[in-house]
Amino acid sequence: QLVESGGGSVQAGGSLRLSCVASGYQYTLIFMGWFRQAPGKGREGVAAISGTGTKQYSESVQGRFTISRDMDKNNVYLQMNDLKPEDTGVYYCAALEGGAWIPLEEDGYRYWGQGTQVTVS
């Protein structure tokens, strides 16, 4: 399972660091990503990282968010700086053990966490 943590309420311009801890997997989760869903909207890809360290970001967070991972533990992190009200939403961790990777598309992942709320005012 994937378990997210680190969400909360912050003022615009503030920072948060999200963590996603994976457990129960007997193999490396090669591809991992972060998605978010704002109220009344669909889920969108925010950031993704491969096993070789290749990263991809959505245009809306480029330069403000940084994704990183601990390959040994199958964990992934999202450092969010200069947060804006439009960053508000539920943030989900996603993972795929291998195969074809579509970094910022929901269909590109097999495993999902339950989400953590981020509110920026």
Coordinates of all heavy atoms in Angstrom, one line a residue, residues 32-88:
M32 N 7.2 6.5 -10.0 CA 6.3 7.0 -8.9 C 5.9 8.5 -9.2 O 6.7 9.2 -9.9 CB 7.0 7.0 -7.6 CG 7.4 5.5 -7.1 SD 7.9 5.4 -5.4 CE 6.3 5.4 -4.6
G33 N 4.7 8.9 -8.8 CA 4.3 10.2 -9.1 C 3.3 10.7 -8.1 O 2.9 10.0 -7.2
W34 N 3.1 12.0 -8.3 CA 2.1 12.7 -7.4 C 1.0 13.3 -8.3 O 1.3 14.0 -9.4 CB 2.8 13.9 -6.6 CG 3.6 13.4 -5.5 CD1 5.0 13.2 -5.5 CD2 3.2 13.0 -4.2 NE1 5.4 12.7 -4.3 CE2 4.3 12.6 -3.5 CE3 1.9 13.0 -3.6 CZ2 4.2 12.2 -2.1 CZ3 1.9 12.6 -2.2 CH2 3.0 12.3 -1.5
F35 N -0.2 13.2 -7.9 CA -1.4 13.7 -8.6 C -2.2 14.5 -7.6 O -2.0 14.4 -6.4 CB -2.3 12.6 -9.1 CG -1.7 11.9 -10.3 CD1 -0.6 11.0 -10.2 CD2 -2.2 12.1 -11.6 CE1 0.0 10.4 -11.3 CE2 -1.6 11.4 -12.7 CZ -0.6 10.6 -12.5
R36 N -3.0 15.4 -8.1 CA -3.9 16.2 -7.2 C -5.2 16.3 -7.8 O -5.4 16.3 -9.0 CB -3.3 17.5 -6.9 CG -3.2 18.5 -8.0 CD -2.5 19.8 -7.6 NE -2.5 20.8 -8.7 CZ -1.7 21.8 -8.7 NH1 -0.9 22.1 -7.6 NH2 -1.7 22.7 -9.7
Q37 N -6.2 16.5 -6.9 CA -7.6 16.7 -7.4 C -8.2 17.9 -6.6 O -8.4 17.8 -5.4 CB -8.4 15.4 -7.2 CG -9.8 15.5 -7.8 CD -10.5 14.2 -7.8 OE1 -10.1 13.2 -7.2 NE2 -11.5 14.1 -8.7
A38 N -8.5 18.9 -7.3 CA -9.1 20.1 -6.7 C -10.6 19.8 -6.6 O -11.2 19.0 -7.4 CB -8.8 21.3 -7.5
P39 N -11.3 20.5 -5.7 CA -12.8 20.4 -5.6 C -13.5 20.6 -6.9 O -13.3 21.6 -7.6 CB -13.1 21.4 -4.6 CG -11.9 21.6 -3.8 CD -10.8 21.5 -4.7
G40 N -14.3 19.6 -7.3 CA -15.1 19.7 -8.6 C -14.3 19.5 -9.8 O -14.8 19.7 -10.9
K41 N -13.0 19.1 -9.7 CA -12.2 18.9 -10.9 C -11.7 17.4 -11.0 O -11.7 16.7 -10.0 CB -11.1 19.9 -10.9 CG -11.5 21.3 -11.1 CD -10.3 22.2 -11.3 CE -10.7 23.7 -11.4 NZ -9.6 24.6 -11.7
G42 N -11.2 17.1 -12.1 CA -10.6 15.8 -12.3 C -9.2 15.7 -11.7 O -8.6 16.7 -11.3
R43 N -8.6 14.5 -11.6 CA -7.3 14.4 -11.0 C -6.2 14.7 -12.1 O -6.3 14.2 -13.3 CB -7.1 12.9 -10.5 CG -6.0 12.7 -9.6 CD -6.2 11.6 -8.6 NE -6.6 10.4 -9.2 CZ -6.9 9.3 -8.5 NH1 -6.8 9.3 -7.1 NH2 -7.3 8.2 -9.1
E44 N -5.2 15.5 -11.7 CA -4.2 15.9 -12.7 C -2.8 15.5 -12.2 O -2.6 15.5 -11.0 CB -4.2 17.4 -12.9 CG -3.9 18.2 -11.7 CD -3.6 19.7 -12.0 OE1 -3.2 20.0 -13.1 OE2 -3.8 20.5 -11.1
G45 N -2.0 15.2 -13.1 CA -0.6 14.8 -12.7 C 0.2 16.1 -12.4 O 0.1 17.1 -13.0
V46 N 1.0 16.0 -11.3 CA 1.8 17.1 -10.8 C 3.2 16.9 -11.0 O 3.9 17.8 -11.6 CB 1.5 17.3 -9.3 CG1 2.4 18.4 -8.7 CG2 0.0 17.7 -9.1
A47 N 3.7 15.7 -10.6 CA 5.2 15.5 -10.7 C 5.4 14.0 -10.8 O 4.6 13.2 -10.2 CB 5.9 16.1 -9.6
A48 N 6.4 13.5 -11.5 CA 6.7 12.1 -11.6 C 8.2 11.9 -11.6 O 8.9 12.8 -12.1 CB 6.0 11.5 -12.8
I49 N 8.6 10.7 -11.2 CA 10.0 10.4 -11.2 C 10.2 8.9 -11.5 O 9.5 8.0 -11.1 CB 10.7 10.7 -9.8 CG1 12.2 10.5 -9.9 CG2 10.0 9.9 -8.7 CD1 12.9 11.1 -8.6
S50 N 11.2 8.6 -12.3 CA 11.5 7.2 -12.7 C 12.6 6.6 -11.8 O 13.2 7.4 -11.0 CB 12.0 7.2 -14.2 OG 13.3 7.7 -14.3
G51 N 12.9 5.4 -12.0 CA 14.0 4.7 -11.2 C 15.4 5.3 -11.5 O 16.3 5.1 -10.7
T52 N 15.5 5.9 -12.7 CA 16.8 6.4 -13.1 C 16.9 7.9 -12.7 O 17.9 8.5 -13.0 CB 17.1 6.2 -14.6 OG1 16.1 6.9 -15.3 CG2 17.1 4.8 -14.9
G53 N 15.9 8.4 -12.1 CA 15.9 9.8 -11.7 C 15.3 10.8 -12.6 O 15.4 12.0 -12.4
T54 N 14.8 10.3 -13.8 CA 14.2 11.3 -14.7 C 12.9 11.8 -14.0 O 12.1 11.1 -13.5 CB 13.8 10.5 -16.0 OG1 14.9 10.0 -16.6 CG2 13.0 11.4 -16.9
K55 N 12.8 13.2 -14.1 CA 11.6 13.8 -13.5 C 10.8 14.6 -14.5 O 11.3 15.1 -15.5 CB 12.1 14.8 -12.4 CG 13.0 14.2 -11.3 CD 13.5 15.2 -10.4 CE 14.5 14.6 -9.4 NZ 15.0 15.6 -8.4
Q56 N 9.5 14.7 -14.2 CA 8.7 15.5 -15.1 C 7.7 16.2 -14.2 O 7.2 15.7 -13.2 CB 7.9 14.6 -16.1 CG 7.2 15.4 -17.1 CD 6.8 14.6 -18.3 OE1 7.4 13.6 -18.6 NE2 5.7 15.0 -19.0
Y57 N 7.4 17.5 -14.6 CA 6.5 18.3 -13.8 C 5.4 18.9 -14.7 O 5.7 19.2 -15.9 CB 7.2 19.5 -13.1 CG 8.3 19.0 -12.1 CD1 9.6 18.9 -12.5 CD2 8.0 18.8 -10.8 CE1 10.6 18.5 -11.6 CE2 8.9 18.4 -9.9 CZ 10.3 18.2 -10.3 OH 11.2 17.9 -9.4
S58 N 4.3 19.2 -14.1 CA 3.3 19.9 -14.9 C 3.7 21.4 -14.9 O 4.5 21.9 -14.1 CB 1.9 19.8 -14.2 OG 1.9 20.5 -12.9
E59 N 3.2 22.1 -15.9 CA 3.6 23.5 -16.1 C 3.2 24.3 -14.9 O 3.9 25.3 -14.6 CB 3.0 24.0 -17.4 CG 3.6 23.5 -18.7 CD 3.1 24.2 -19.9 OE1 2.4 25.2 -19.7 OE2 3.3 23.7 -21.0
S60 N 2.1 24.0 -14.3 CA 1.6 24.8 -13.2 C 2.5 24.8 -11.9 O 2.4 25.6 -11.1 CB 0.2 24.4 -12.8 OG 0.2 23.0 -12.4
V61 N 3.4 23.7 -11.8 CA 4.2 23.6 -10.6 C 5.7 23.7 -10.9 O 6.5 23.7 -10.0 CB 3.9 22.3 -9.8 CG1 2.4 22.2 -9.5 CG2 4.4 21.1 -10.6
Q62 N 6.0 23.7 -12.2 CA 7.4 23.7 -12.6 C 8.1 24.9 -11.9 O 7.7 26.0 -11.9 CB 7.5 23.9 -14.1 CG 8.9 23.9 -14.6 CD 9.6 22.6 -14.7 OE1 9.0 21.6 -15.1 NE2 10.8 22.5 -14.2
G63 N 9.3 24.6 -11.3 CA 10.0 25.7 -10.6 C 9.6 25.9 -9.1 O 10.4 26.5 -8.4
R64 N 8.5 25.3 -8.7 CA 8.1 25.5 -7.3 C 8.1 24.2 -6.6 O 8.3 24.2 -5.3 CB 6.6 26.1 -7.3 CG 6.5 27.5 -8.0 CD 5.1 28.1 -7.7 NE 4.1 27.3 -8.4 CZ 3.1 26.7 -7.7 NH1 2.9 26.9 -6.4 NH2 2.1 26.0 -8.3
F65 N 7.8 23.1 -7.2 CA 7.7 21.8 -6.6 C 8.9 21.0 -7.0 O 9.4 21.1 -8.1 CB 6.4 21.0 -7.0 CG 5.1 21.6 -6.5 CD1 5.1 22.8 -5.9 CD2 4.0 20.9 -6.7 CE1 3.9 23.3 -5.4 CE2 2.8 21.4 -6.2 CZ 2.7 22.6 -5.6
T66 N 9.4 20.1 -6.1 CA 10.5 19.2 -6.4 C 10.1 17.8 -5.9 O 9.8 17.6 -4.7 CB 11.7 19.6 -5.7 OG1 12.1 21.0 -6.1 CG2 12.9 18.7 -6.0
I67 N 10.2 16.8 -6.8 CA 10.0 15.4 -6.5 C 11.3 14.7 -6.2 O 12.3 15.0 -6.9 CB 9.1 14.7 -7.6 CG1 8.7 13.3 -7.1 CG2 9.9 14.6 -8.9 CD1 7.7 12.7 -8.0
S68 N 11.3 13.9 -5.3 CA 12.5 13.1 -5.0 C 12.1 11.7 -4.5 O 10.9 11.5 -4.1 CB 13.4 13.8 -3.9 OG 12.7 13.9 -2.7
R69 N 13.0 10.8 -4.4 CA 12.6 9.4 -4.0 C 13.8 8.7 -3.2 O 14.9 9.1 -3.4 CB 12.2 8.6 -5.1 CG 13.2 8.3 -6.2 CD 12.7 7.4 -7.3 NE 12.1 6.2 -6.8 CZ 11.4 5.3 -7.5 NH1 11.1 5.7 -8.8 NH2 11.0 4.2 -7.0
D70 N 13.4 7.7 -2.5 CA 14.3 6.8 -1.8 C 14.1 5.5 -2.4 O 13.1 4.8 -2.1 CB 14.1 6.8 -0.3 CG 15.1 5.9 0.4 OD1 15.6 5.0 -0.2 OD2 15.3 6.2 1.6
M71 N 15.0 5.1 -3.4 CA 14.7 3.8 -4.1 C 14.8 2.6 -3.2 O 14.0 1.7 -3.4 CB 15.8 3.7 -5.2 CG 15.6 4.5 -6.4 SD 14.2 4.0 -7.5 CE 14.8 2.5 -8.1
D72 N 15.6 2.7 -2.2 CA 15.7 1.5 -1.3 C 14.4 1.2 -0.6 O 14.1 0.1 -0.2 CB 16.9 1.7 -0.3 CG 18.2 1.7 -1.0 OD1 18.3 1.1 -2.1 OD2 19.2 2.2 -0.4
K73 N 13.7 2.3 -0.3 CA 12.5 2.1 0.5 C 11.2 2.3 -0.3 O 10.1 2.2 0.3 CB 12.5 3.2 1.7 CG 13.7 3.0 2.6 CD 13.6 4.1 3.7 CE 14.8 3.9 4.7 NZ 14.7 4.9 5.8
N74 N 11.3 2.5 -1.6 CA 10.1 2.7 -2.4 C 9.3 3.9 -1.9 O 8.1 4.0 -2.0 CB 9.2 1.5 -2.4 CG 9.6 0.5 -3.5 OD1 10.2 0.8 -4.4 ND2 9.1 -0.7 -3.3
N75 N 10.0 4.9 -1.3 CA 9.3 6.1 -0.9 C 9.5 7.3 -1.9 O 10.5 7.3 -2.5 CB 9.8 6.5 0.5 CG 9.5 5.5 1.6 OD1 8.7 4.6 1.4 ND2 10.2 5.6 2.7
V76 N 8.6 8.2 -1.9 CA 8.6 9.3 -2.8 C 8.2 10.6 -2.0 O 7.3 10.4 -1.1 CB 7.8 9.1 -4.0 CG1 6.3 9.1 -3.8 CG2 8.1 10.2 -5.1
Y77 N 8.8 11.7 -2.3 CA 8.5 12.9 -1.6 C 8.2 14.1 -2.6 O 8.6 14.0 -3.8 CB 9.7 13.3 -0.8 CG 10.2 12.2 0.1 CD1 11.3 11.4 -0.4 CD2 9.6 11.9 1.3 CE1 11.7 10.3 0.4 CE2 10.1 10.8 2.0 CZ 11.1 10.0 1.6 OH 11.6 8.9 2.3
L78 N 7.4 15.0 -2.1 CA 7.1 16.2 -2.9 C 7.3 17.5 -2.1 O 6.6 17.7 -1.1 CB 5.7 16.2 -3.5 CG 5.3 17.3 -4.5 CD1 6.1 17.1 -5.8 CD2 3.8 17.3 -4.8
Q79 N 8.4 18.2 -2.4 CA 8.6 19.5 -1.7 C 7.9 20.6 -2.5 O 8.1 20.8 -3.7 CB 10.1 19.8 -1.7 CG 10.4 21.1 -1.0 CD 10.1 21.2 0.4 OE1 10.3 20.3 1.2 NE2 9.5 22.3 0.9
M80 N 7.0 21.2 -1.8 CA 6.1 22.3 -2.4 C 6.5 23.6 -1.8 O 6.2 23.8 -0.6 CB 4.7 21.9 -2.2 CG 4.3 20.5 -2.7 SD 2.5 20.2 -2.7 CE 2.2 20.3 -0.9
N81 N 7.0 24.5 -2.6 CA 7.3 25.9 -2.2 C 6.5 26.9 -2.9 O 5.9 26.6 -4.0 CB 8.8 26.1 -2.5 CG 9.7 25.2 -1.7 OD1 9.4 24.8 -0.6 ND2 10.9 24.9 -2.3
D82 N 6.4 28.1 -2.4 CA 5.6 29.2 -3.0 C 4.2 28.7 -3.3 O 3.8 28.9 -4.5 CB 6.4 29.7 -4.2 CG 5.8 31.0 -4.7 OD1 5.1 31.7 -3.9 OD2 5.9 31.3 -5.9
L83 N 3.6 28.1 -2.4 CA 2.2 27.6 -2.6 C 1.2 28.7 -2.9 O 1.3 29.8 -2.4 CB 1.8 26.7 -1.4 CG 2.4 25.4 -1.3 CD1 2.3 24.8 0.1 CD2 1.8 24.4 -2.4
K84 N 0.3 28.3 -3.8 CA -0.7 29.2 -4.3 C -2.1 28.6 -3.9 O -2.2 27.4 -3.8 CB -0.6 29.5 -5.8 CG 0.8 30.0 -6.2 CD 0.8 30.2 -7.7 CE 2.2 30.7 -8.1 NZ 2.3 30.8 -9.6
P85 N -3.1 29.5 -3.8 CA -4.5 28.9 -3.6 C -4.9 27.9 -4.6 O -5.6 26.9 -4.2 CB -5.4 30.2 -3.6 CG -4.5 31.3 -3.2 CD -3.1 30.9 -3.8
E86 N -4.5 28.0 -5.8 CA -4.8 27.0 -6.9 C -4.1 25.7 -6.7 O -4.4 24.7 -7.4 CB -4.6 27.6 -8.3 CG -3.2 28.1 -8.5 CD -3.1 29.7 -8.3 OE1 -3.8 30.2 -7.3 OE2 -2.4 30.3 -9.1
D87 N -3.2 25.6 -5.7 CA -2.6 24.3 -5.4 C -3.5 23.5 -4.5 O -3.1 22.3 -4.2 CB -1.2 24.5 -4.8 CG -0.2 25.1 -5.8 OD1 -0.2 24.8 -6.9 OD2 0.6 26.0 -5.3
T88 N -4.5 24.1 -4.0 CA -5.4 23.4 -3.0 C -6.0 22.1 -3.7 O -6.4 22.2 -4.8 CB -6.5 24.3 -2.6 OG1 -6.0 25.4 -1.8 CG2 -7.6 23.6 -1.7

